Amino acid sequence: MKRLMRLRATQHLRDLCAETEFNRAQLIQPFFVVEGLQTNEPIPGLRGNVRLSIASALQQVESDLTDGVTQFLLFPVPGEKRESKFTHEFEREVISQIKEQFGSSLCLWVDTCLCAYTTHGHCAVLNSTSIDHPATLEELATSALAFAEAGADGISPSDMMDGRVARIRSQLDEHGFDLVPIMSYSTKFASNFYGPFRSAADSAPQFGDRRHYQLDVRSRADALASSRRCAEEGADLLMVKPGLTSLDLIAPIKEQTDLPVGAYQVSGEYAGLSLLADNGLIDFDRGLMETWNVFKRAGAQFIITYGARYAKKLGIGR
């Protein structure tokens, strides 16, 4: 059964999906929490963002809430990497501490992928150098359930494996989490604009690349089919990534799926604004606002951006 009520369940989700206004609830702030980190570490190019310990992450979230951020996308970075059978003890701790301290004052999405967990940096369990598809789906479903049990408000699969949304949805529903929504990275390209993120998440592939499971930037039909598939498998929210290079796809995906479609302003896009501003070639605040307005003009329902914490200062209302 399609649970339309998932996106009506909390005020955070209702605000995120409101269609008649652009508000801060439609901006999602990513953040990176690193197991065993002693002091915050800068992320080259990502102005206003650092790699955080659990303690400093709690301080950052508190500061962001004061600045009007209510939507967060957590990227946990575990200290130990494996081939498979990931334990998720660290992720459970991070999620539970955030939710225990801040409760319903925020909506906590958790990125669900394997690239930060594996020794090889790919988004899958590998059998030799090829993808073990059934094992990968099982690990993703196990991850999603662990995050939901720890208190995550939403699951956000970013791996681009066939069938992962259906498997995650089934796992959540079977364990009583049928109202936990899935925000799928449904149209995600193999892009050159992910560099700062891969440094922050310690997730760069150790060999090869991700072109055999992420989308080819030349293929519009595959990009649309990928989002349709996620919708059919039970995703509640869809997104395009990278955002600025996928503007032409937002409206067609919305028309073909009738689901809210967002845009991820990825690390390379955001870093471009930061580097231009650092060299006196652009006004950072105005450039950031311009990109957000372009996303909204293209039909984006929500925007994942490393600058969400600046929205209140830039005059975007509740």
Side-chain angles (χ1 to χ4, degrees), residues 162-304:
D162 292 335
R164 93 273 204 203
V165 170
R167 183 68 188 88
I168 289 171
R169 183 74 272 157
S170 175
Q171 182 86 322
L172 294 175
D173 291 353
E174 288 173 6
H175 290 83
F177 294 101
D178 53 305
L179 286 179
V180 171
I182 295 175
M183 177 172 66
S184 176
Y185 293 65
S186 57
T187 291
K188 178 180 177 180
F189 290 97
S191 172
N192 289 294
F193 288 93
Y194 301 151
F197 170 89
R198 290 179 178 175
S199 174
D202 191 20
S203 64
Q206 299 304 299
F207 58 86
D209 55 38
R210 296 173 176 156
R211 296 181 187 275
H212 55 298
Y213 48 96
Q214 294 180 356
L215 298 171
D216 190 316
V217 297
R218 299 169 294 180
S219 179
R220 177 182 177 87
D222 196 16
L224 295 173
S226 181
S227 277
R228 288 198 305 270
R229 178 194 61 192
C230 288
E232 292 163 359
E233 291 183 3
D236 302 285
L237 299 161
L238 308 174
M239 76 171 85
V240 297
K241 179 183 179 182
L244 286 175
T245 59
S246 306
L247 291 175
D248 60 310
L249 299 168
I250 295 173
I253 292 171
K254 167 68 175 175
E255 291 168 2
Q256 293 183 24
T257 65
D258 203 29
L259 289 178
V261 182
Y264 195 142
Q265 183 175 44
V266 298
S267 60
E269 294 171 334
Y270 182 84
L273 297 175
S274 298
L275 293 171
L276 285 168
D278 289 345
N279 286 278
L281 300 175
I282 193 175
D283 181 291
F284 179 78
D285 290 353
R286 291 182 178 180
L288 189 60
M289 275 295 297
E290 181 176 335
T291 60
W292 291 350
N293 280 307
V294 169
F295 287 133
K296 294 301 290 187
R297 188 185 71 209
Q301 178 63 43
F302 59 92
I303 303 166
I304 302 170

Side-chain angles (χ1 to χ4, degrees), residues 14-239:
R14 293 190 292 273
D15 288 344
L16 178 73
C17 297
E19 298 181 53
T20 58
E21 62 180 340
F22 179 22
N23 57 56
R24 292 198 300 268
Q26 295 170 353
L27 295 170
I28 302 175
Q29 176 67 52
F31 66 116
F32 302 87
V33 184
V34 184
E35 185 175 16
L37 196 67
Q38 299 302 311
T39 59
N40 293 350
E41 294 179 351
I43 305 171
L46 295 191
R47 173 183 293 213
N49 293 263
V50 296
R51 283 164 39 106
L52 303 159
S53 66
I54 294 180
S56 57
L58 294 172
Q59 296 173 348
Q60 182 65 67
V61 169
E62 184 173 26
S63 174
D64 287 339
L65 285 167
T66 300
D67 287 333
V69 179
T70 57
Q71 303 274 347
F72 295 84
L73 177 58
L74 169 64
F75 292 92
V77 184
E80 180 184 1
K81 296 182 181 293
R82 301 185 178 194
E83 298 291 335
S84 62
K85 305 299 182 184
F86 311 105
T87 63
H88 301 301
E89 293 176 6
F90 170 67
E91 300 91 306
R92 287 176 183 270
E93 182 181 4
V94 176
I95 295 165
S96 62
Q97 286 203 34
I98 292 172
K99 291 304 293 184
E100 285 172 9
Q101 181 160 338
F102 301 109
S104 61
S105 62
L106 54 73
C107 184
L108 182 63
W109 301 89
V110 182
D111 181 83
T112 305
C113 191
L114 303 181
C115 57
Y117 302 84
T118 56
T119 56
H120 45 70
H122 280 283
C123 305
V125 176
L126 300 185
N127 182 1
S128 182
T129 57
S130 62
I131 291 174
D132 186 334
H133 191 246
T136 298
L137 295 188
E138 188 61 30
E139 290 287 1
L140 291 169
T142 299
S143 301
L145 179 59
F147 303 158
E149 289 175 338
D153 295 298
I155 301 300
S156 195
S158 61
D159 55 285
M160 290 301 289
M161 299 295 137
D162 292 335
R164 93 273 204 203
V165 170
R167 183 68 188 88
I168 289 171
R169 183 74 272 157
S170 175
Q171 182 86 322
L172 294 175
D173 291 353
E174 288 173 6
H175 290 83
F177 294 101
D178 53 305
L179 286 179
V180 171
I182 295 175
M183 177 172 66
S184 176
Y185 293 65
S186 57
T187 291
K188 178 180 177 180
F189 290 97
S191 172
N192 289 294
F193 288 93
Y194 301 151
F197 170 89
R198 290 179 178 175
S199 174
D202 191 20
S203 64
Q206 299 304 299
F207 58 86
D209 55 38
R210 296 173 176 156
R211 296 181 187 275
H212 55 298
Y213 48 96
Q214 294 180 356
L215 298 171
D216 190 316
V217 297
R218 299 169 294 180
S219 179
R220 177 182 177 87
D222 196 16
L224 295 173
S226 181
S227 277
R228 288 198 305 270
R229 178 194 61 192
C230 288
E232 292 163 359
E233 291 183 3
D236 302 285
L237 299 161
L238 308 174
M239 76 171 85

